[in-house]
Amino acid sequence: MKVVSVNVASVAGEILAAAKRKVKTGIYKKPQSRRVQVGSQGIEGDFICNRKHHGGKDQAIYAYSTEDYAFWSRSLNSLLGPGAFGENLTISGIDFSALCIGDVLVLPDLQLQVTAPRTPCRMLSSAIKQKNFSNKFNKANRPGAYFRVTLEGTVGEGDEVKLKNFKDGARVTLAKFFRDKGAKLGREDLERYLRLPIDERSRKKFEYQVTKFE
């Protein structure tokens, strides 16, 4: 596995959202030729607009694979390159859907822990100019992965990536987590997720749902 591209939105872009209203966004990320610094909140200098739904320690880095891009290029009949989905890291040789919550990607100067799959929004559909793309994204179950930074450092194009499997609890894949986020879960399933190092936004949602069983 290898980092193919490191992508950063150094300034805010504009995107056409609902009701033909322009809003600021950080989804337009460009590949960087230099190494970049990564802290607990993500890549230094990367623009994040709506912090209610994006960013934070548990979604500090978003990554997608070249293999998933190849799938979408065929499916959409449109060539998509690194950063098109707004990811920070484009990585080759990895199946994100098979990664499990808590797994760690070990890079030469950085470590990242899997916390959640991506939930698509209108911004993604607008960015790649595909109406109702969220439906296709959900059906394909190729969500990519959000990470928290467990070891701060730097990252650059060409960095080797190794996988360290999570062994401190149940192994739940991103593909399953992606499906379950849109399903009605029972108490046992909810409590299983709450024992895992999932992202804070999902944790609050599941904690609230558990209270419905009390």
Side-chain angles (χ1 to χ4, degrees):
M1 297 182 289
K2 183 177 292 187
V3 175
V4 173
S5 182
V6 179
N7 314 300
V8 176
S10 55
V11 296
E14 284 192 339
I15 200 165
L16 198 63
K20 297 184 178 180
R21 178 173 57 92
K22 286 188 176 181
V23 297
K24 292 187 180 298
T25 178
I27 199 170
Y28 297 118
K29 301 189 188 300
K30 296 181 179 180
Q32 306 294 300
S33 58
R34 59 183 176 84
R35 295 190 71 80
V36 300
Q37 188 71 37
V38 183
S40 63
Q41 296 289 332
I43 292 178
E44 187 176 286
D46 187 38
F47 181 81
I48 298 173
C49 183
N50 187 349
R51 291 187 177 273
K52 179 180 179 181
H53 299 293
H54 303 285
K57 290 185 177 181
D58 291 334
Q59 295 183 6
I61 296 291
Y62 176 57
Y64 212 62
S65 76
T66 56
E67 289 78 7
D68 285 332
Y69 268 130
F71 167 84
W72 287 117
S73 293
R74 293 191 302 270
S75 177
L76 301 175
N77 194 27
S78 175
L79 184 61
L80 298 172
F85 279 16
E87 79 277 8
N88 302 110
L89 301 180
T90 314
I91 301 176
S92 65
I94 188 169
D95 180 0
F96 279 116
S97 294
L99 288 186
C100 291
I101 300 301
D103 284 351
V104 174
L105 297 189
V106 180
L107 290 79
D109 191 38
L110 185 69
Q111 290 188 22
L112 306 170
Q113 184 179 45
V114 177
T115 61
R118 178 189 193 155
T119 300
C121 62
R122 288 194 300 268
M123 290 292 187
L124 181 58
S125 297
S126 297
I128 64 171
K129 297 178 174 60
Q130 288 284 334
K131 188 177 181 180
N132 298 323
F133 179 69
S134 294
N135 295 333
K136 295 179 180 178
F137 192 88
N138 285 327
K139 185 177 180 180
N141 201 346
R142 293 172 177 264
Y146 279 117
F147 297 87
R148 67 170 58 90
V149 179
T150 55
L151 178 65
E152 298 180 13
T154 63
V155 63
E157 178 183 331
D159 280 2
E160 295 290 338
V161 182
K162 297 180 180 179
L163 176 63
K164 181 179 179 181
N165 288 337
F166 180 69
K167 297 181 179 179
D168 296 330
R171 289 190 58 74
V172 178
T173 66
L174 281 174
K176 178 171 175 51
F177 193 5
F178 187 66
R179 292 192 300 269
D180 284 352
K181 287 184 77 172
K184 186 176 181 179
L185 300 178
R187 182 166 188 163
E188 184 177 338
D189 289 329
L190 291 168
E191 290 178 341
R192 180 182 62 203
Y193 275 111
L194 291 172
R195 289 192 292 270
L196 297 173
I198 59 176
D199 67 294
E200 189 62 23
R201 292 178 178 91
S202 297
R203 181 171 300 281
K204 288 181 179 178
K205 175 184 175 181
F206 291 162
E207 285 176 342
Y208 174 74
Q209 291 176 347
V210 164
T211 65
K212 299 297 183 179
F213 293 94
E214 295 176 355

